[in-house]
Amino acid sequence: MSFTVNGVEIEDTFAEAFSMWGSRIIITAKNRKWADTAASTMTGYATSVIMCDCEAGVERPVPEDETPDGRPGVSVMVFGFSRARLEEPLLKRMGQCILTCPTTAVFNGLPEEEADAMLDIGKSARFFGDGHQVKMRMGDGWLERRRFWRIPVMEGEFLIEERFGAKRAVAGGNFLVLGATEDAALEASERAIDAIHAVPGVITPFPGGLCRSGSKVGSRYAFLRASTNTPFCPSIRHTFPDSLVPEGVNSVIEIVINGLDFDSVKAAMAAGVTAAVEVEGVRKITAVNFGGKLGKFQIYLKECVGGA
Amino acid sequence: MRALRLRPKGAPSIPVEAEAISPDIVAGKALPEIEKLVVHVGNTTRPLGDFFDVEGEVAELAAEQLIIVEGGIPWAKYIGASMTGGRIIVEGDAGMHAGSQMSGGEITVEGSASDWAGAEMRGGLLRIGGDAGDLLGAAYRGSSEGMTGGCIIVEGRAGLETGSFMRRGMVVVLGDVGPFAGAHMNGGEIFVFGRAARRLGAEMRGNGGVIVCLGEVEALLPTFVYDATYRPTFMKLYLRELRDALGVREAGKFIDSAFRRYRGDAAVGGDGEILIAERQGGPG
């Protein structure tokens, strides 16, 4: 079953997404260069919890007039399978990637009223000050109450908010772009990423937002819990008996989307698919699922983009 | 908000203790009841109506009550003392203890306020358009804690012992402050845009307490030790808050300033901070 949008076949299927815990942080620095440096370091090696300790990505650059300290910022989102498995990588990554980065500060980007829990990241990170850390209080009794820690470091002083919001979020929204050529699949995917990043509350954790090596659960090797997504590998279309690669398709790229809520992920999928089908050479769009047996959320492509 | 108007009938020869001028006390009462509220005058009590013409609207809840005092009442003490919500506007000067121990709401004194304004304040906002007397936001004698929350902003100068024994909250003085500002301070923030007089931060303990001098500093105690000159990020947050939330435009000029950091008071083993804006010069 399928339908078409802009002449491109869209398979009438769904992306199977999972429940994860997510958090948003705002990194600021003296200038854009150092804010971006901290953000890219913080979100490194965080593509998939299959092998990484968390999934993370840049949500958007934050202009100076939106950050707490008036400096250039970056909004980063981090996802883990449980509250504890979110808190640990958050603390470690902030400690190793933001604290160490010149001129940075880090603030909570998920207010308490939107969060399911508040994580004491700054409260833990403060011990790096070895007793010389200073608690900073703001707004007591007259404005929004906020707490920060000032940690002396060799370069000057590191500022970190005491608590960071976390909430039950949605991870694993996805779709596959099937192209006639590698160039077509890549261009369409790049356009999809640009469109997705206009949607607030989502990240695409893979390199540049794209995953060229989507995986399936398990493998023929007992020691390997995930392996290449053989049904969608064009180069083995005729050697793999259950290939799902249509004739005329020679490259497939997957886009994975994590978001703070279901609607954000769905909106991001809609934006991405709509942008992708505008590119000539895109033959088909589909999505990855496990028959609804594993994930809590089902995001139907038809509900995202409608179609004829 | 519902506005209740109090028009002073004249200036009595001795001060009046007028805790009754508070949204918490007038809310939910009829105008005749408000006129009969008790105020203390010397060793007697008198009805509020002897000193004010009362008119306007009364809210059910304190948070929805606005009280406008039409004129200066420097003879009236304890205006808004212990209030928890609502708003008071004094269109002139206020007497001693205005806003003392208040925990919420807002008081605007368009003129000057006498001593002990905002003493032991716990929350809310106290704006003083003119000068403040001595012991602004301070602890009452015998008490170990002064302000524990809230914000006081003074557009003129403030007297002796501003913010003494402060524990939390913020005091902002756009003019000069007298000696002993922040004495015994153990938390909270004091911002001085004018000249800070001697004995600044005497016996200051720490606990995140910081005195920020954006103007001239008369002298620092020798028990404050210079650490470094730097541009701490946390200062940008405070200065932006002053500019954006309190309308202190002057604060915006210092957002990118370097500050000289002094730590003390070593006389009591304190680790409080005095930060002096670099471009304004240091202690004389």
Side-chain angles (χ1 to χ4, degrees), chain B residues 27 30 33 42-43 85 98 101 110 117 120 128 133 137 153 177 183-184 213 276 282:
Chain B
E33 289 179 280
N43 61 358
Q101 298 182 327
E110 294 180 353
E120 298 189 3
I128 298 169
I153 177 164
V177 292
H184 301 281
C213 301
I276 302 173

Side-chain angles (χ1 to χ4, degrees), chain B residues 241-262:
Chain B
E241 182 180 73
L242 291 182
R243 184 191 64 186
D244 301 337
L246 290 172
V248 182
R249 280 187 294 175
E250 187 72 8
K253 297 177 185 171
F254 295 92
I255 286 175
D256 294 320
S257 291
F259 288 84
R260 289 196 280 166
R261 181 179 194 264
Y262 295 82

Side-chain angles (χ1 to χ4, degrees), chain B residues 19-44:
Chain B
E19 295 102 322
I21 303 177
S22 165
D24 293 83
I25 293 177
V26 303
K29 292 185 171 65
L31 291 181
E33 289 179 280
I34 293 169
E35 288 172 342
K36 288 176 187 165
L37 287 170
V38 169
V39 297
H40 297 270
V41 185
N43 61 358
T44 63

Side-chain angles (χ1 to χ4, degrees), chain A residues 116-127:
Chain A
D116 295 322
M118 295 302 288
L119 309 178
D120 290 332
I121 307 287
K123 210 170 184 176
S124 300
R126 80 183 197 268
F127 292 114

Side-chain angles (χ1 to χ4, degrees), chain B:
Chain B
M1 291 187 116
R2 292 178 177 269
L4 180 75
R5 295 183 172 276
L6 303 181
R7 189 171 302 113
K9 290 181 174 176
S13 56
I14 58 173
V16 173
E17 294 187 3
E19 295 102 322
I21 303 177
S22 165
D24 293 83
I25 293 177
V26 303
K29 292 185 171 65
L31 291 181
E33 289 179 280
I34 293 169
E35 288 172 342
K36 288 176 187 165
L37 287 170
V38 169
V39 297
H40 297 270
V41 185
N43 61 358
T44 63
T45 58
R46 302 257 300 272
L48 184 70
D50 283 3
F51 301 96
F52 296 93
D53 290 323
V54 180
E55 60 183 47
E57 296 179 308
V58 181
E60 281 302 309
L61 301 171
E64 295 164 4
Q65 183 68 59
L66 166 65
I67 299 174
I68 300 171
V69 180
E70 297 180 339
I73 46 171
W75 41 267
K77 299 180 181 179
Y78 295 103
I79 299 162
S82 302
M83 69 184 264
T84 64
R87 188 169 182 207
I88 299 173
I89 298 172
V90 180
E91 296 175 339
D93 296 341
M96 294 168 73
H97 309 281
S100 60
Q101 298 182 327
M102 67 185 281
S103 59
E106 182 175 342
I107 300 176
T108 302
V109 178
E110 294 180 353
S112 294
S114 189
D115 302 341
W116 299 105
E120 298 189 3
M121 187 171 171
R122 295 165 196 159
L125 179 61
L126 171 59
R127 282 183 179 272
I128 298 169
D131 297 332
D134 295 335
L135 297 145
L136 175 76
Y140 284 119
R141 300 307 188 202
S143 175
S144 61
E145 288 189 344
M147 274 180 78
T148 54
C151 177
I152 303 175
I153 177 164
V154 180
E155 293 182 22
R157 67 173 298 281
L160 289 162
E161 294 188 44
T162 294
S164 68
F165 289 95
M166 191 171 180
R167 184 71 175 78
R168 285 182 189 168
M170 178 184 273
V171 174
V172 183
V173 181
L174 301 189
D176 303 339
V177 292
F180 290 99
H184 301 281
M185 192 174 171
N186 193 27
E189 307 91 41
I190 298 176
F191 288 82
V192 183
F193 285 78
R195 186 171 194 259
R198 64 193 188 282
R199 312 289 182 191
L200 192 64
E203 300 204 353
M204 187 179 183
R205 293 277 176 187
N207 191 32
V210 58
I211 301 173
V212 183
C213 301
L214 302 153
E216 185 188 347
V217 177
E218 182 182 346
L220 278 186
L221 288 164
T223 44
F224 276 83
V225 181
Y226 171 75
D227 281 328
T229 300
Y230 71 143
R231 290 181 168 79
T233 308
F234 84 94
M235 191 59 70
K236 297 179 190 299
L237 270 70
Y238 280 133
L239 292 168
R240 283 165 59 85
E241 182 180 73
L242 291 182
R243 184 191 64 186
D244 301 337
L246 290 172
V248 182
R249 280 187 294 175
E250 187 72 8
K253 297 177 185 171
F254 295 92
I255 286 175
D256 294 320
S257 291
F259 288 84
R260 289 196 280 166
R261 181 179 194 264
Y262 295 82
R263 196 167 188 83
D265 184 345
V268 291
D271 61 354
E273 292 172 277
I274 295 177
L275 289 155
I276 302 173
E278 177 72 355
R279 74 186 181 113
Q280 295 294 317

Side-chain angles (χ1 to χ4, degrees), chain A residues 59-131:
Chain A
E59 182 188 20
R60 66 181 179 104
V62 184
E64 288 90 330
D65 59 357
E66 291 181 30
T67 59
D69 59 10
R71 303 189 300 167
V74 180
S75 172
V76 163
M77 284 163 47
V78 181
F79 293 81
F81 257 130
S82 65
R83 177 179 159 167
R85 286 163 76 181
L86 170 64
E87 189 164 11
E88 186 178 343
L90 262 178
L91 176 60
K92 286 181 174 175
R93 284 166 181 267
M94 284 194 207
Q96 294 301 307
C97 308
I98 304 178
L99 167 67
T100 56
C101 183
T103 78
T104 58
V106 60
F107 304 98
N108 176 32
L110 189 62
E112 191 163 4
E113 58 270 22
E114 297 173 26
D116 295 322
M118 295 302 288
L119 309 178
D120 290 332
I121 307 287
K123 210 170 184 176
S124 300
R126 80 183 197 268
F127 292 114
F128 187 74
D130 200 24

Side-chain angles (χ1 to χ4, degrees), chain A residues 36-270:
Chain A
D36 288 344
T37 299
S40 62
T41 311
M42 164 93 187
T43 56
Y45 187 51
T47 53
S48 168
V49 287
I50 292 174
M51 293 295 280
C52 307
D53 61 347
C54 66
E55 296 180 4
V58 169
E59 182 188 20
R60 66 181 179 104
V62 184
E64 288 90 330
D65 59 357
E66 291 181 30
T67 59
D69 59 10
R71 303 189 300 167
V74 180
S75 172
V76 163
M77 284 163 47
V78 181
F79 293 81
F81 257 130
S82 65
R83 177 179 159 167
R85 286 163 76 181
L86 170 64
E87 189 164 11
E88 186 178 343
L90 262 178
L91 176 60
K92 286 181 174 175
R93 284 166 181 267
M94 284 194 207
Q96 294 301 307
C97 308
I98 304 178
L99 167 67
T100 56
C101 183
T103 78
T104 58
V106 60
F107 304 98
N108 176 32
L110 189 62
E112 191 163 4
E113 58 270 22
E114 297 173 26
D116 295 322
M118 295 302 288
L119 309 178
D120 290 332
I121 307 287
K123 210 170 184 176
S124 300
R126 80 183 197 268
F127 292 114
F128 187 74
D130 200 24
H132 300 283
Q133 63 273 21
V134 177
K135 189 170 192 171
M136 173 188 173
R137 302 176 174 91
M138 287 187 82
D140 276 320
W142 69 283
L143 208 61
E144 182 192 5
R145 179 184 186 273
R146 294 183 83 170
R147 293 286 182 269
F148 305 85
W149 285 96
R150 298 166 46 203
I151 301 172
V153 291
M154 295 195 304
E155 176 243 21
E157 197 174 85
F158 176 60
L159 183 68
I160 181 170
E161 189 143 7
E162 183 167 83
R163 301 199 305 160
F164 289 80
K167 65 172 292 191
R168 291 175 186 85
V170 177
N174 70 80
F175 60 92
L176 304 183
V177 179
L178 287 68
T181 64
E182 291 139 306
D183 286 347
L186 185 60
E187 186 187 342
S189 300
E190 287 175 346
R191 287 207 202 173
I193 289 299
D194 289 343
I196 287 167
H197 281 280
V199 177
V202 298
I203 58 159
T204 50
F206 282 94
L210 309 183
C211 178
R212 71 152 182 195
S213 58
S215 59
K216 67 177 182 296
V217 177
S219 75
R220 65 174 63 186
Y221 308 108
F223 59 85
L224 195 61
R225 60 179 175 158
S227 60
T228 192
N229 195 357
T230 35
F232 282 102
C233 293
S235 62
I236 56 170
R237 174 168 39 208
H238 295 302
T239 53
F240 182 70
D242 298 321
S243 177
L244 296 173
V245 181
E247 289 298 331
V249 169
N250 291 292
S251 183
V252 180
I253 290 178
E254 182 175 2
I255 294 172
V256 177
I257 302 163
N258 292 356
L260 290 177
D261 55 55
F262 180 87
D263 290 341
S264 300
V265 175
K266 188 176 174 182
M269 280 180 58

